């Protein structure tokens, strides 16, 4: 078993600072290393370094930033095997899932925005009076990036890429549960020759720790946050004192609507991914399956059988489909929802228990993928984000009812619609309150499109020119013709 002694990365140096906390491997709960908990001092040093570095990084030609960022992306690709394994040690997700394009996507997050910053121009408006107005897009300054544990390297690079490409400097605060990947990314950025202070990583926790100090720091100009809705509210309150620019990607409780004209095999395959990708610890998941009455029984039979067939266990075994949940606390929280369901007329038709695994996996945070039927849409299990391998399957009669149930939650991040009727797909996709709607598939996205959530799932959008808008200031220059 490897051992990771993670460090902060501040001003181009790997340093300690603050008490160390253990890193546990989710599949065994064995200690696999430790990380330092940054405090005010570490955050302040990182922000000061980023402020200083901004003076040169922000003024570099975008093509020069692109050269350095492409070197970073190349190193990410060259370390694919190691990064796949690190993500498994950090998160407990299977190597099988990590191997499917995960690392190329991390590299693409950096590379895409490095190119985008070079190829995108600006607006100009010649006035009738002869004046010319034009718009300059300039970097904002020091970006505080705060990320969650569920898909850590993908979400970190999704913010690091545009922040740096558009000329900002960065202080990243990764989730305390998954510090290894961010540490490794810092090593690769360092090797790629990013100048000291341009990219910094400070480890630690949220409240009264590195996360909160970053959101309070007066020299941090913007915060891009991905995490729980309640955390987002706390950050908004903290950041208001210094009026920071904010972007939020928050929780979700997506619907997966299956109409009775679907190809059942495909619908089951798409639904398995939308339900159990990343052990269901996935903001974009569709854990509320809504199935039209005509195919309800047939779909449920196949879906339950396929769910029972998913192998749960050693994330490093390439045949394993479902890995471990992030922590014992989280497993208990997820299992608590099964107790809630058991207290209602609902029925657990697959899973609901823990797998019987040999040592040392018997100490890990595993839960069999679970399917619950007979839950009323207003019950807690259908309303709250469970963030684990637990889904509900309900029945509906018509389009109107499906849309009403799908929209009957406080979240609005992502949804799935499965039908072969094009008109229906267009109508339902338009009516659903969520930032992304997939039709007949799941978790495919071009980096140019907006990404974000409605309602309690987020504020703002990132991706393509939406990232350009968030990570830059728009300055108008009015040029006199005199
Ligand atoms: P979390 O909100 O507990 O933590 C996220 C990050 O915020 C961590 O780095 C944490 O240390 C930090 N943090 C916590 N409290 C803070 C505070 N007061 N001030 C500053 N920083 C603070 O979320 P999590 O448990 O790590 O992740 C799971 C959540 O993330 C789920 O709700 C999931 O839906 C959401 N998520 C959303 C998206 C999206 O794109 N919308 C993507 C992935 C995860």
């Amino acid at each position: 078993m490897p051992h990771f002694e993670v460090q902060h990365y501040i001003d181009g140096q790997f340093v300690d600072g603050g008490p160390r906390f253990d890193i546990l491997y989710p599949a065994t709960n064995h200690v696999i290393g430790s990380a330092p908990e940054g405090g005010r001092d570490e955050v302040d040093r990182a922000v000061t370094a980023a402020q200083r570095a901004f003076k040169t990084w922000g003024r570099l030609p975008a093509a020069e930033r692109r050269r350095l960022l492409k070197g970073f992306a190349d190193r990410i690709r060259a370390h694919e095997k190691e990064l796949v394994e690190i993500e498994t040690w950090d998160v407990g997700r299977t190597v099988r899932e990590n191997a499917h394009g995960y690392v190329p996507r991390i590299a693409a997050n950096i590379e895409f925005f490095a190119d985008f910053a070079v190829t995108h121009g600006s607006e100009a408006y010649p006035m009738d009076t002869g004046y010319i107005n034009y718009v300059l897009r300039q970097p904002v300054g020091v970006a505080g990036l705060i990320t969650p544990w569920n898909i850590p390297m993908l979400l970190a690079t999704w913010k690091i890429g545009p922040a740096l490409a558009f000329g900002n400097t960065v202080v990243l605060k990764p989730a305390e549960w998954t510090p290894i990947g961010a540490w490794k990314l810092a090593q690769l950025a360092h090797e790629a020759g990013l100048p000291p202070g341009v990219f910094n990583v400070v480890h630690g926790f949220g409240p009264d720790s590195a996360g909160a100090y970053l959101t309070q720091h007066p020299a941090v100009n913007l915060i891009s946050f991905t995490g729980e809705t309640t955390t987002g509210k706390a950050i908004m309150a903290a950041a208001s004192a210094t009026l920071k620019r904010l972007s939020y990607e928050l929780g979700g409780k997506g619907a997966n609507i299956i109409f009775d004209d679907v190809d059942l095999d495909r619908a089951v395959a798409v639904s398995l991914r939308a339900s159990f990708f990343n052990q269901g610890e996935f903001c974009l998941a569709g854990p509320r399956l809504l199935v039209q009455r005509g195919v309800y029984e047939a779909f449920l039979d196949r879906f339950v059988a396929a769910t029972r067939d998913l192998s749960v266990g050693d994330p490093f075994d390439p045949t394993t489909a479902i890995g471990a949940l992030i922590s014992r606390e989280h497993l208990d929280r997820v299992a608590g929802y099964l107790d809630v369901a058991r207290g209602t007329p609902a029925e657990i038709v697959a899973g609901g228990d823990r797998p019987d695994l040999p040592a040392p996996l018997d100490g890990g945070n595993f839960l069999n993928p679970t399917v619950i039927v007979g839950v009323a849409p207003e019950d807690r299990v259908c309303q709250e984000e469970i963030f684990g391998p637990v889904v509900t399957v309900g029945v509906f009669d018509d389009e109107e009812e499906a849309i009403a149930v799908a929209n009957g939650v406080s979240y609005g991040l992502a949804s799935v619609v499965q039908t072969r009727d094009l008109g229906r797909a267009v109508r339902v996709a338009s009516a659903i309150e969520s930032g992304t709607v997939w039709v007949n598939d799941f978790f495919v996205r071009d980096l140019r499109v907006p990404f974000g959530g409605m309602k309690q799932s987020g504020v703002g959008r990132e991706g393509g020119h939406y990232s350009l808008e968030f990570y830059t200031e728009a300055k108008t220059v009015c040029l006199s013709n005199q």
Side-chain angles (χ1 to χ4, degrees):
M1 195 165 291
H3 191 82
F4 303 95
E5 284 302 307
V6 167
Q7 291 182 296
H8 306 299
Y9 181 58
I10 299 176
D11 205 5
Q13 310 248 324
F14 289 92
V15 293
D16 292 318
R20 296 192 75 83
F21 59 92
D22 286 340
I23 307 169
L24 303 182
Y25 175 41
T28 59
N29 280 314
H30 287 163
V31 175
I32 53 166
S34 71
E37 181 193 355
R40 278 192 202 280
D41 188 39
E42 286 71 29
V43 169
D44 195 48
R45 276 167 35 219
V47 172
T48 304
Q51 245 185 323
R52 198 207 57 244
F54 177 65
K55 294 194 179 106
T56 42
W57 182 255
R59 290 188 196 136
L60 278 184
E64 176 58 10
R65 290 197 294 261
R66 174 170 70 175
R67 189 183 68 76
L68 289 160
L69 291 172
K70 287 215 168 197
F72 182 20
D74 288 344
R75 276 172 178 77
I76 290 173
R77 265 190 297 268
H79 286 77
E80 174 158 6
K81 186 170 178 300
E82 187 185 358
L83 292 175
V84 160
E85 290 178 1
I86 282 179
E87 186 85 350
T88 297
W89 292 117
D90 251 344
V91 183
R93 177 168 65 243
T94 63
V95 287
R96 183 161 110 169
E97 276 181 354
N98 288 344
H100 284 298
Y102 186 71
V103 171
R105 181 56 178 255
I106 294 169
N109 279 343
I110 302 290
E111 200 158 43
F112 169 84
F113 288 105
D115 284 331
F116 195 96
V118 171
T119 54
H120 275 70
S122 171
E123 308 145 81
Y125 299 97
M127 298 172 75
D128 292 345
T129 50
Y131 288 86
I132 299 173
N133 285 215
Y134 63 89
V135 181
L136 292 176
R137 283 281 173 188
Q138 297 180 323
V140 181
V142 177
L145 310 180
I146 301 179
T147 49
W149 47 260
N150 64 327
I151 27 177
M153 281 191 275
L154 189 142
L155 288 168
T157 50
W158 166 242
K159 298 177 191 299
I160 297 165
L164 293 182
F166 298 129
N168 304 281
T169 52
V170 162
V171 179
L172 169 71
K173 209 300 280 172
E176 52 272 36
W177 299 103
T178 53
I180 311 170
W183 173 61
K184 185 69 202 176
L185 287 176
Q187 290 174 13
L188 299 177
H190 186 81
E191 283 170 30
L194 261 64
V198 164
F199 173 50
N200 305 272
V201 181
V202 179
H203 298 280
F205 299 81
D208 302 317
S209 186
Y213 301 142
L214 192 60
T215 60
Q216 293 159 7
H217 201 294
V220 172
N221 305 92
L222 67 84
I223 298 278
S224 176
F225 168 73
T226 300
E228 278 188 21
T229 299
T230 48
T231 311
K233 290 177 183 172
I235 290 177
M236 189 176 265
S240 71
T242 46
L243 215 60
K244 296 188 197 319
R245 176 183 293 221
L246 295 171
S247 168
Y248 283 145
E249 293 170 358
L250 307 177
K253 186 75 177 176
N256 171 8
I257 306 174
I258 296 145
F259 284 96
D260 59 11
D261 60 355
V262 290
D263 170 322
L264 275 183
D265 289 336
R266 183 175 170 86
V268 168
V270 168
S271 300
L272 283 178
R273 285 198 292 127
S275 299
F276 302 124
F277 175 78
N278 203 36
Q279 304 81 238
E281 296 171 316
F282 197 38
C283 52
L284 301 174
R288 294 181 298 141
L289 287 81
L290 306 173
V291 188
Q292 198 162 20
R293 198 170 299 278
V295 286
Y296 177 77
E297 293 296 341
F299 174 86
L300 187 64
D301 283 352
R302 291 190 198 200
F303 181 68
V304 166
T307 300
R308 290 189 185 134
D309 275 351
L310 294 172
S311 58
V312 183
D314 181 1
F316 279 99
D317 179 338
T319 64
T320 303
I322 307 270
L325 300 189
I326 189 71
S327 66
R328 184 47 63 116
E329 291 93 313
H330 187 57
L331 170 65
D332 292 345
R333 192 183 153 275
V334 172
Y337 280 99
L338 304 183
D339 295 336
V340 170
R342 287 187 182 107
T344 70
E347 191 189 347
I348 295 176
V349 292
D353 55 352
R354 305 199 49 218
D356 193 12
L357 295 169
L361 299 171
D362 55 350
N365 314 315
F366 294 96
L367 182 69
N368 284 322
T370 299
V371 181
I372 312 176
V373 297
V375 192
E378 57 280 7
D379 283 358
R380 280 183 59 200
V381 180
C382 281
Q383 290 288 321
E384 298 177 15
E385 185 181 44
I386 298 177
F387 221 58
V390 176
V391 301
T392 58
V393 186
V395 62
F396 69 90
D397 286 302
D398 57 25
E399 228 172 276
E400 203 183 337
E401 184 187 356
I403 291 166
V405 176
N407 289 344
V409 293
S410 60
Y411 294 106
L413 189 59
S415 309
V416 180
V417 179
Q418 303 198 59
T419 176
R420 288 195 276 190
D421 179 333
L422 184 59
R424 178 150 64 190
V426 170
R427 285 192 302 277
V428 178
S430 167
I432 287 190
E433 295 163 354
S434 74
T436 298
V437 180
W438 281 290
V439 178
N440 297 330
D441 219 318
F442 175 69
F443 195 32
V444 180
R445 189 167 60 85
D446 189 294
L447 290 173
R448 287 169 292 195
V449 297
F451 177 76
M454 298 181 182
K455 306 201 286 193
Q456 299 288 300
S457 288
V459 178
R461 296 289 184 273
E462 295 189 38
H465 72 83
Y466 301 87
S467 294
L468 173 70
E469 280 164 22
F470 176 66
Y471 288 104
T472 61
E473 294 282 8
K475 180 189 286 175
T476 298
V477 180
C478 179
L479 199 63
S480 165
N481 59 351
Q482 299 301 309

